[in-house]
Structures are given as structure tokens and as C-alpha cells.
Amino acid sequence: MSRLSKILAAGVLGLLFSGSLFAADRVTLIYTFTSGSTLPLWVAQEAGLFKKYNLDVLLVSVQGSSRGAQALLSGDADVAAVGGEVVVLSALKGGNTKIFAGMVDVFPSIIFAAKNITRPEQLKGKKIAISTFGSSSDFSVRYALRNLGLNPDKDVTILQVGNQPNRFAALVSGAIEATIVNPPLTLQAKRMGYQPLVDLGATALKYPQAELVSLPGYMKSHEDVMRRLVRAHAESLYFIHTQKTASQRALGKFMKLSDPQMIDDTIESYRNYFPKKPYPSVEALQFVIEYLAEKQPEILTLKPESLIEPRFVRELDDSGFIDQLYRQR
């Protein structure tokens, strides 16, 4: 092969790997958290990682994990970032959503109450805001209330108010007496003098708070897209762990934050929650199954392994890609 032919061949290969020769694959990805939990997706978009792997990802925000799961099942989305509890509940009703990559597998949330409420028992008879019924905020609030000795169905009124900014605004206005939020709103609440009533992040429980989910049919027919999506996700986690600037830019843009201290504090809080290798957590799903089974014993027929599709993360991990990312620091 002549020198010119080699140069041209190398150029073609470069275009192939950069995705410049062909139109990018379109992926509609719904996210249901307006909080630091969504940071990997925002970083992947803002830092050009989706584009790097020839993906044209349309990020769409909806309120509540249950709505995100419905969008998947109806075909309105290809992938969704939702709480793992909706995957469990969907499976019980015959749905077939599966978690293919993890994002946050702990409770990152704090329940704040009105300033005149200083003890959990004072929540009795009060209004507590969540996003939507069946969402991760709903699950977390009910879990916390039961641990406090309160019956979430009788002792309080749980209201669907929407995303975290809406819920926090309702607390500040006095329309409700308590709500659950994640950073950065936890930091803003503390600055405004609200005291945390319950810090779920202080528990050691594994809980599937934010997971990447799709349908088996889509994953089977779009295997190459899934591999590139997981690669972009893993690289965005690397950016979060090692490159603060990308996280600062993404968080500020998508959450419309301008306070540098709040942005940095949020990143520091979530950096401890995000895994370097985003395997779906069997342990976290098992916790949800056992907890929900207290009221719905039939849920125990579900096995957490049946709710996940870990092969895309496993393939990427086995290839050495993730380890190589962190070795290059």
C-alpha cells in the first residue's frame, strides 16, 4: 500500500471511530430526577461523551419514576433513569423493564420539615410532598415514616407536588409541612435554617435510587447502541470522579445553579454515591423486594436477578476499558 493510501485509510478509520461518516444513532432518554443523581447523564451530554460514541441523545425530564417507566412501556422513550422500585412494581404487573446500569444505589435524601417541627412525631396530621405516587421519593418517604413509627397511609397526608424545586418551594411557602430532597436543595434548605428531620443518606442500606432502565426488546435490537451508551455512562462517571470542571459546568447548566459553593458541595456529596463500575445492584433490589413484600407478599416471587441485564457493563469491564480510564490519571 502506498503512503498516500495508508494516510487515506487511516483517515477513514478515524472518521468511522469518531462517528463523523455516519449519522449518529438517536436515543430518547428520560430522566426523572432534578438533582445530583442525574449528574452522569448531564456530564455525558455537556462534555460531548454521547457524541463521542456517535449517539444523538435526547434528554427529556419528566416528574416521577412511575411516569418514566410508563414512557418506556408505551414506546415514548428508549431508555429511562428511574428508581429501582418502579422496576419491581412494574414486573409484578407484567411489565418487563430491566436495569442495565447503575447510577446511585444508596439513599441520598433528607426529609426537611417546617421550622416549627423539630421532632418526627410532630409530623402526625401534616402534609408531606413527593413527586408522584410510585416514585423513588414516594418510596423513600414511606420507608422513613415507617421507621419513625408513623403510618404513611393514616398519620400523614402524602401529596404529589412534582420535582424537587416544586416541592421545596411548597415547603417554603407553607403549603406543606415536610418534603424530601437531595443535594443541592439539601444544602439550600440548611442555609435557610431548615433542619434535617430524617437523613436517609446516613443509613448503610443499599437502595436503587437511580438506575438506567430499558426494555429487553430494545436492548436486543440495539445492542451496539447499548454498548456505546454504557461506555459513555462509564466515562461520565470517570469524569465525575476525576475532573471537577465538567461536573461543575453540567450541574450549573441543567440545574440552573450559579452559586459555586453549592455546585461544589453537591458534586462532593454525590461523588461518594456514584460507582466507578456501574453494575446493577442485586442487593439494592433485594432490599426493595423485601420491604414492599410486607404489604404485597406476592412480590417475594420476584428474583432481583430477573430484573437486571448486567452484560453490557460486564462486557465493558472485561474489556479493561474502565480500569484503563482510571490508570491514565
Side-chain angles (χ1 to χ4, degrees):
M1 183 183 290
S2 69
R3 177 178 173 81
L4 179 58
S5 297
K6 289 179 180 178
I7 292 172
L8 290 173
V12 170
L13 285 174
L15 287 171
L16 283 170
F17 282 107
S18 68
S20 300
L21 263 185
F22 304 105
D25 290 295
R26 186 66 176 267
V27 178
T28 300
L29 199 166
I30 282 179
Y31 64 90
T32 59
F33 316 101
T34 310
S35 71
S37 295
T38 317
L39 187 56
L41 303 181
W42 294 337
V43 168
Q45 188 80 302
E46 186 65 14
L49 297 177
F50 289 136
K51 188 175 182 180
K52 176 180 178 180
Y53 295 110
N54 206 28
L55 296 170
D56 177 14
V57 175
L58 175 64
L59 289 179
V60 181
S61 174
V62 301
Q63 296 185 12
S65 291
S66 54
R67 289 178 181 167
Q70 288 167 9
L72 267 185
L73 293 169
S74 67
D76 291 331
D78 304 312
V79 177
V82 299
E85 71 285 342
V86 302
V87 176
V88 174
L89 292 171
S90 175
L92 192 65
K93 297 175 183 178
N96 199 22
T97 56
K98 291 190 184 295
I99 299 170
F100 65 87
M103 292 172 67
V104 178
D105 286 317
V106 296
F107 281 114
S109 312
I110 296 178
I111 294 178
F112 286 91
K115 294 178 182 179
N116 63 333
I117 295 177
T118 58
R119 301 187 311 277
E121 57 268 27
Q122 292 176 301
L123 287 174
K124 204 163 188 178
K126 302 298 191 297
K127 298 184 289 295
I128 301 180
I130 60 167
S131 60
T132 59
F133 296 131
S135 66
S136 58
S137 61
D138 185 20
F139 181 95
S140 301
V141 163
R142 291 174 186 276
Y143 170 79
L145 290 173
R146 286 173 186 158
N147 277 12
L148 294 171
L150 296 171
N151 186 327
D153 297 315
K154 296 180 180 179
D155 295 334
V156 300
T157 300
I158 296 178
L159 301 177
Q160 301 180 102
V161 175
N163 63 21
Q164 291 194 87
N166 290 345
R167 300 199 303 269
F168 187 63
L171 177 64
V172 173
S173 71
I176 58 168
E177 284 79 31
T179 191
I180 186 165
V181 293
N182 299 347
L185 286 178
T186 53
L187 309 172
Q188 184 178 345
K190 290 176 183 177
R191 285 184 182 182
M192 293 176 66
Y194 292 93
Q195 296 300 312
L197 201 62
V198 183
D199 184 356
L200 289 167
T203 69
L205 288 171
K206 281 283 190 180
Y207 166 68
Q209 197 268 341
E211 313 293 332
L212 287 176
V213 176
S214 190
L215 297 176
Y218 180 83
M219 290 189 280
K220 184 176 181 180
S221 61
H222 295 78
E223 289 196 352
D224 187 53
V225 169
M226 295 300 299
R227 290 188 179 97
R228 284 181 277 139
L229 189 64
V230 168
R231 185 173 290 246
H233 178 50
E235 195 162 340
S236 74
L237 294 172
Y238 165 73
F239 271 47
I240 292 169
H241 284 290
T242 63
Q243 302 179 29
K244 183 180 282 189
T245 302
S247 298
Q248 290 170 326
R249 189 167 57 244
L251 192 66
K253 176 180 177 179
F254 283 91
M255 288 209 69
K256 296 180 173 60
L257 296 176
S258 57
D259 184 330
Q261 189 61 52
M262 185 172 289
I263 290 172
D264 286 348
D265 287 351
T266 301
I267 293 168
E268 288 304 315
S269 296
Y270 272 92
R271 185 174 286 138
N272 297 322
Y273 300 145
F274 293 126
K276 292 181 178 179
K277 296 184 178 183
Y279 284 101
S281 174
V282 171
E283 181 183 352
L285 282 171
Q286 184 62 41
F287 164 73
V288 171
I289 289 171
E290 291 176 358
Y291 183 75
L292 292 176
E294 293 177 11
K295 283 198 166 185
Q296 296 174 274
E298 64 273 22
I299 286 180
L300 288 175
T301 61
L302 298 175
K303 302 299 179 186
E305 292 84 0
S306 69
L307 306 176
I308 65 174
E309 178 49 273
R311 68 188 175 99
F312 298 108
V313 176
R314 186 184 303 116
E315 286 176 7
L316 189 65
D317 191 13
D318 289 346
S319 75
F321 175 82
I322 300 175
D323 290 332
Q324 183 59 36
L325 281 175
Y326 292 91
R327 277 199 295 266
Q328 70 186 17
R329 289 186 63 187

